[in-house]
Amino acid sequence: FELQSARADADGLRFELQSARADADGLRFELQSARADAEARAAEAAVLRSEADGHRASGEAFRAEAEGRATGLSLRIQELEGQSAHAEERVLRAYQKIKSDEKIREKTRKALAMVLQILEERSGGDGGSGGS
């Protein structure tokens, strides 16, 4: 009877051992699957980090180019403002000269009119006294 009981216990232990081995195999498979998933995610994260670094570098290059252009445009604006101020001064001087020339012309026209009037008076007076 003890032998049968020992055999039954041994069969039970064999069944438990097989069940434990099956559980261990399942856990090994889950562990391998989890490791493979972790490795795939790590590789994906590395790719994303690399892409992010590339985008960051592109953004920095774009910003540097934009800053360079902004500086160049700012210098060009200053240059054009200086040219504009110089042109405004030239226009003002030209306007002042035109006004001055107009005054001189007006005075010259009046002087010529007076000279013509004097000449007419003299030629009219000479012609009238010479005929008498």
Side-chain angles (χ1 to χ4, degrees), residues 59-107:
E60 289 173 2
F62 180 77
R63 185 180 69 237
E65 181 183 343
E67 287 174 353
R69 284 184 179 183
T71 300
L73 290 174
S74 183
L75 292 173
R76 181 69 176 139
I77 287 170
Q78 289 176 355
E79 178 185 332
L80 291 173
E81 285 174 344
Q83 289 176 359
S84 175
H86 180 69
E88 286 176 10
E89 290 173 11
R90 289 179 59 201
V91 166
L92 180 62
R93 284 194 305 267
Y95 179 76
Q96 290 170 343
K97 179 154 179 28
I98 289 169
K99 285 297 182 186
S100 173
D101 289 350
E102 285 176 356
K103 288 179 183 177
I104 292 172
R105 252 181 275 151
E106 184 61 27
K107 287 180 182 179

Side-chain angles (χ1 to χ4, degrees), residues 2 9 11-12 17 56 58 76 87 93 106 124 126 132:
E2 284 183 31
D9 286 343
D11 287 341
L17 178 61
R56 189 176 303 115
S58 294
R76 181 69 176 139
R93 284 194 305 267
E106 184 61 27
D126 286 345
S132 310

Side-chain angles (χ1 to χ4, degrees), residues 114-124:
M114 287 172 48
V115 168
L116 285 174
Q117 183 180 3
I118 292 171
L119 288 174
E120 285 177 7
E121 288 175 1
R122 280 189 184 170
S123 66

Side-chain angles (χ1 to χ4, degrees), residues 38-56:
E39 288 173 0
R41 290 179 189 260
E44 185 180 344
V47 167
L48 291 174
R49 269 190 227 103
S50 175
E51 287 177 4
D53 289 343
H55 290 307
R56 189 176 303 115

